[in-house]
């Protein structure tokens, strides 16, 4: 927040919900107008499924290199926390995550796992809308 005092959107990988809920809670406290967007890979979208059904529900899950994200369902204890402090989830195709891993390595000299590249892929696609200072 010191480096980006005018930030109006944050994109965070969604795995079990702890990181998303924590970042969302901090941003709601420190920057109430900032939107926090959890992002999932299209091969496993438990949060999107929960938003669609209004509660944690089983979803399709395919094992991939981005397995640090997603799962079979949103953890019941995380659901009320995440919905209070984040926006509806963004979804990126696995191919976009793989492409972003390559770009980050080639141009930024960063080796990122899938969960690290997914938010960057979502940002590069403009999925958070007109936010993004």
């Amino acid at each position: 927040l010191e480096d980006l005092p005018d930030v109006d959107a944050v994109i965070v990988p969604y795995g079990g919900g702890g990181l998303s809920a924590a970042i969302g809670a901090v941003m709601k406290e420190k920057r109430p107008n900032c939107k926090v967007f959890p992002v999932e890979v299209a091969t496993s979208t438990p949060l999107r499924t929960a938003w669609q059904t209004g509660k944690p529900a089983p979803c399709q899950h395919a094992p991939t290199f981005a397995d640090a994200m997603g799962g079979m369902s949103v953890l019941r204890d995380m659901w009320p926390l995440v919905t209070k402090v984040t926006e509806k989830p963004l979804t990126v195709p696995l191919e976009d995550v793989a492409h972003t891993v390559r770009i980050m390595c080639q141009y930024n000299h960063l080796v990122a796992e899938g969960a690290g590249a997914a938010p960057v892929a979502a940002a590069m696609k403009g999925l958070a809308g007109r936010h993004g200072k």
Side-chain angles (χ1 to χ4, degrees):
L1 293 175
E2 291 173 8
D3 291 339
L4 296 171
D6 295 332
V7 66
D8 65 353
V10 174
I11 304 173
V12 60
Y14 188 85
L19 179 65
S20 299
I23 290 174
V26 167
M27 295 310 291
K28 291 295 179 201
E29 175 68 26
K30 301 286 186 184
R31 300 285 190 278
N33 294 327
C34 181
K35 297 193 179 295
V36 176
F37 295 93
V39 64
E40 299 176 298
V41 177
T43 54
S44 182
T45 57
L47 190 57
R48 181 176 68 182
T49 300
W51 275 94
Q52 290 170 342
T53 61
K55 62 182 181 190
C59 73
Q60 294 290 333
H61 173 76
T64 69
F65 71 91
D67 276 351
M69 299 173 62
M72 301 300 286
S73 177
V74 170
L75 299 171
R76 292 200 185 280
D77 291 341
M78 294 309 301
W79 175 243
L81 299 171
V82 170
T83 56
K84 288 179 186 173
V85 296
T86 69
E87 304 298 313
K88 288 185 179 178
L90 309 174
T91 304
V92 293
L94 184 64
E95 297 79 22
D96 289 358
V97 177
H99 178 72
T100 302
V101 168
R102 284 191 299 275
I103 287 173
M104 291 174 72
C105 186
Q106 183 177 3
Y107 295 105
N108 302 104
H109 307 286
L110 296 171
V111 179
E113 60 154 345
V120 178
M124 289 173 53
K125 287 276 195 174
L127 297 182
R130 298 184 53 90
H131 302 280
K133 287 185 198 169

